[in-house]
Amino acid sequence: MPGQTNDQQDHNGESLTEVDAVVIGAGIGGLRMLHQLREQGLTVQVFEAAPDLGGTWFWNRYPGARTDSESWTYAYSFSKELQDEWDWSERFPTQDEVYRYLSHVADRFDLRRDIAFDTRVESAVYDEDSARWLVTVAGGRRYRCAYLVTALGLLSLPYKPDFKGLEDFEGQWHVTGRWPQEEVDFTGKRVAIIGTGATAVQAVPLIAQTAAQLTVFQRTPNYVLPARNYTLTDFEREGIRSSYDEIWRKARKHPFGYAFDRAGVTKSDVTPEEHQRILERGWETGGFRFVFETFDDMTLDEEANEIASEFVRNKIRAIVKDPETAELLCPKDYPIVSKRPPLGHFYYEAFNRDNVRLVDISQTPIDEITANGIRVGEDEYTADIIIFATGFDAGTGSYNYIDIRGRGGETLEKKWADGPRTHLGITIDGFPNMFMVSGPQSPFGNIPVVVEGTVEWIGNAVTHLRENGLDTIEPTSEAVASWWQLLQDYINATLLPKGRHSWFLGANIPGKPRGVLFFFGGVGTYRKTCQAAADSGYADFTLDSVAPHGQASTAHVGRTTSRPAPQSVS
């Protein structure tokens, strides 16, 4: 019965806990999924490998960590009371503030009682006879459920290159995506940071304040946009609260899930002088508004993009005093937005400090980590602390650490050997009743807005099954193939494939299959597409009903099949 767990024993006498749903991950997606399914009357068990909730916002506590989404949209929209009682302090909140927000949500809705922390899921195996998933966690405890939901996060598995000699390094080293809970003291230290992506862009200006020397190793320069962060006043917070209906309406329609207005202007609509003035306004407004509230063709038209790209390069040249350093910081071989542009909080200004230096490793890469630091070619750079800000194995990385097996015992690892294949970025053929929140091939954008649409879709699908006496839902292979082609069509209509070492395509990880990891048709389009799939009666899916007297019937667009009857647990 919904609302009750059931502890049983399997054929070998080992403990087996029955729940309606298992959710893997207690970050933004997992918490929202737990609340949704509980509201629908299901019993839910959440497993989280970390000692606390938060996902990204638990692990990434490096100096300067904060959102690149404006705080009032980096939040849940399912509860008006929650919106009214929570006060954001800044335009772009810090890691600590987001973590406190998620903790508040968990406490307010009593979510922790269904979350097992410090618990890593080792395997999830689909049993075709019973149409149930058997989930095994570290320590051997096992759970059986009808619905398996992975909420592993798009950027949750840090990538650290296997640098030769690291074991010989005599100082400290840290990976930003697994930052220690205890404070790291940089005072008077020689610090080396490898990487210049969004993480390093946030960390560099702060570490530079106290380090004796900060050496930044750059393979690929980024187009860093000014955040223009500020403290919110009570007047602004009240204005946000009174406007939330309109804020969410805009965010759900926006291509990347932001509450921005479309520019309504393209390059051909303005003179060169007007073009520069509009870009200047976007630069001063700050954040991703530079991209989305200036020109609608920035990601589509090469000439419009080059104007914006050169605009940013000229800003770098104006900010950074040393011309040689400025040119190294200027991206020249890929278009702006073809990689995710980070938001900076005085990043370029940090290179004007006497204690900050930039080392270009695009042509001469790092050879090895030595006892005293980092060697690049003939040069050795001494360091007391090395920071690896080398990004994430995006989209699929975390799935490689769980043994997930679907029909016929097929592993997800084998299924995705050439890259992920999904339908809607939520479901996978051959893996019935497995749902993904922010899975590969779902939209990349403002994650809470993406998450809520996905969670609601999953909740509605589960309701459809239960109300119609159905047991499983699984996309057809044809639907998966069509989704893959749609992903290609959308990304190829943009300049995104031109990004250098872009994790949008898995190109930042050596040996990873190259392919589109995200849906770039826009969050608004995605939501409409998902809704259409549901409104069609799930025509792109096979819906199964396990009959009570010896066979399982399958209903899908007039087609039926049979399967063996389920067996009891005992």
Side-chain angles (χ1 to χ4, degrees):
M1 293 178 61
Q4 296 181 348
T5 58
N6 185 7
D7 289 338
Q8 302 187 32
Q9 291 183 334
D10 65 9
H11 296 293
N12 299 318
E14 296 181 359
S15 176
L16 183 66
T17 301
E18 293 267 6
V19 292
D20 294 320
V22 164
V23 176
I24 308 175
I28 289 175
L31 294 177
R32 181 66 181 86
M33 192 77 252
L34 169 57
H35 180 266
Q36 180 75 30
L37 294 177
R38 281 208 327 206
E39 289 291 290
Q40 294 178 206
L42 277 70
T43 56
V44 187
Q45 179 62 60
V46 179
F47 296 110
E48 171 53 58
D52 202 351
L53 56 80
T56 291
W57 301 105
F58 174 82
W59 294 112
N60 288 267
R61 58 177 77 86
Y62 58 85
R66 64 173 69 235
T67 74
D68 279 353
S69 298
E70 291 168 334
S71 57
W72 50 92
T73 58
Y74 203 84
Y76 297 122
S77 64
F78 69 87
S79 168
K80 184 179 185 303
E81 292 74 21
L82 178 62
Q83 289 176 174
D84 289 343
E85 70 193 17
W86 182 262
D87 282 331
W88 292 105
S89 66
E90 297 180 79
R91 182 186 186 183
F92 298 105
T94 63
Q95 172 270 333
D96 178 65
E97 187 167 16
V98 177
Y99 168 77
R100 285 188 285 107
Y101 170 76
L102 294 174
S103 296
H104 172 76
V105 172
D107 294 339
R108 193 189 194 288
F109 297 99
D110 192 22
L111 301 181
R112 292 180 188 270
R113 64 182 166 90
D114 289 324
I115 305 174
F117 296 108
D118 277 319
T119 306
R120 185 172 295 278
V121 173
E122 294 183 340
S123 66
V125 179
Y126 183 70
D127 176 41
E128 296 184 53
D129 291 339
S130 62
R132 293 291 187 271
W133 284 92
L134 183 64
V135 178
T136 303
V137 302
R141 180 76 179 178
R142 303 195 302 163
Y143 294 76
R144 194 166 70 169
C145 61
Y147 312 107
L148 175 68
V149 183
T150 60
L152 304 182
L154 294 176
L155 298 171
S156 55
L157 182 69
Y159 168 64
K160 183 182 72 63
D162 187 17
F163 287 109
K164 175 185 175 183
L166 181 58
E167 66 279 4
D168 298 324
F169 181 58
E170 295 178 354
Q172 303 177 48
W173 63 268
H174 302 287
V175 178
T176 54
R178 291 294 182 267
W179 200 258
Q181 288 186 276
E182 61 273 13
E183 184 179 351
V184 179
D185 185 8
F186 300 103
T187 305
K189 302 291 179 61
R190 296 165 298 180
V191 182
I193 184 164
I194 301 173
T196 52
T199 295
V201 165
Q202 292 179 335
V204 162
L206 293 185
I207 295 173
Q209 299 293 325
T210 59
Q213 176 71 53
L214 175 59
T215 306
V216 181
F217 294 84
Q218 172 186 275
R219 179 180 65 168
T220 306
N222 262 299
Y223 294 95
V224 180
L225 306 176
R228 301 288 190 248
N229 189 38
Y230 54 82
T231 300
L232 294 174
T233 66
D234 289 340
F235 293 102
E236 287 166 314
R237 282 192 282 264
E238 286 306 311
I240 290 166
R241 286 193 179 99
S242 65
S243 304
Y244 254 126
D245 289 346
E246 179 65 8
I247 286 171
W248 294 128
R249 185 193 68 78
K250 285 184 179 181
R252 290 165 185 154
K253 292 175 61 179
H254 189 270
F256 281 78
Y258 298 112
F260 298 166
D261 292 312
R262 298 301 299 272
V265 178
T266 64
K267 180 186 72 67
S268 61
D269 295 327
V270 299
T271 66
E273 293 75 20
E274 289 172 323
H275 203 128
Q276 292 296 306
R277 180 177 56 80
I278 292 170
L279 291 175
E280 192 70 50
R281 184 181 66 214
W283 181 267
E284 291 305 318
T285 303
F288 293 133
R289 292 177 187 269
F290 175 81
V291 175
F292 297 116
E293 292 189 340
T294 54
F295 291 93
D296 289 337
D297 57 350
M298 188 184 295
T299 62
L300 306 173
D301 182 84
E302 289 192 17
E303 188 174 345
N305 186 284
E306 176 55 26
I307 293 171
S309 298
E310 184 63 12
F311 178 92
V312 176
R313 294 183 202 115
N314 284 331
K315 288 294 185 181
I316 299 170
R317 294 168 182 137
I319 294 169
V320 180
K321 295 177 182 178
D322 178 58
E324 183 177 345
T325 301
E327 288 305 313
L328 287 175
L329 289 166
C330 286
K332 298 187 179 72
D333 59 356
Y334 69 93
I336 189 172
V337 194
S338 62
K339 293 181 61 170
R340 177 190 182 277
L343 298 191
H345 303 262
F346 305 104
Y347 173 69
Y348 292 125
E349 291 83 349
F351 291 94
N352 292 330
R353 298 178 60 97
D354 293 336
N355 66 330
V356 178
R357 63 183 168 184
L358 182 68
V359 177
D360 177 26
I361 56 172
S362 61
Q363 302 302 317
T364 305
I366 293 172
D367 288 302
E368 65 176 336
I369 309 296
T370 68
N372 298 316
I374 298 173
R375 187 169 67 81
V376 178
E378 298 299 319
D379 298 319
E380 183 175 6
Y381 299 88
T382 57
D384 303 304
I385 302 173
I386 298 175
I387 299 171
F388 296 98
T390 44
F392 296 87
D393 188 349
T396 58
S398 294
Y399 286 86
N400 296 328
Y401 289 82
I402 304 174
D403 182 14
I404 301 176
R405 298 173 183 255
R407 291 194 186 279
E410 182 179 27
T411 66
L412 187 61
E413 182 179 18
K414 180 180 179 181
K415 181 85 169 178
W416 287 357
D418 296 323
R421 298 293 188 273
T422 76
H423 185 41
L424 305 176
I426 301 175
T427 59
I428 309 166
D429 58 319
F431 293 76
N433 283 15
M434 176 178 166
F435 304 100
M436 298 180 291
V437 179
S438 288
Q441 301 180 347
S442 65
F444 174 73
N446 183 28
I447 290 302
V449 173
V450 176
V451 158
E452 291 218 298
T454 301
V455 163
E456 290 164 6
W457 190 93
I458 295 170
N460 289 336
V462 169
T463 295
H464 180 84
L465 294 177
R466 292 162 69 87
E467 290 182 348
N468 290 278
L470 300 165
D471 293 298
T472 62
I473 182 171
E474 174 187 354
T476 65
S477 58
E478 295 82 3
V480 171
S482 294
W483 188 250
W484 172 250
Q485 185 57 53
L486 186 64
L487 292 168
Q488 314 310 308
D489 293 343
Y490 276 127
I491 197 168
N492 288 332
T494 73
L495 301 175
L496 294 178
K498 296 180 179 292
R500 187 178 175 211
H501 303 306
S502 173
W503 51 260
F504 287 165
L505 303 171
N508 64 318
I509 305 296
K512 184 170 183 172
R514 300 297 184 261
V516 185
L517 289 175
F518 304 101
F519 176 87
F520 287 108
V523 171
T525 301
Y526 177 77
R527 290 175 68 94
K528 289 180 181 178
T529 304
C530 290
Q531 187 59 50
D535 291 344
S536 72
Y538 302 95
D540 291 337
F541 295 82
T542 299
L543 307 178
D544 284 9
S545 177
V546 178
H549 300 296
Q551 71 174 19
S553 63
T554 301
H556 176 245
V557 291
R559 179 168 58 85
T560 60
T561 61
S562 62
R563 293 200 180 109
Q567 299 177 352
S568 62
V569 176
S570 59

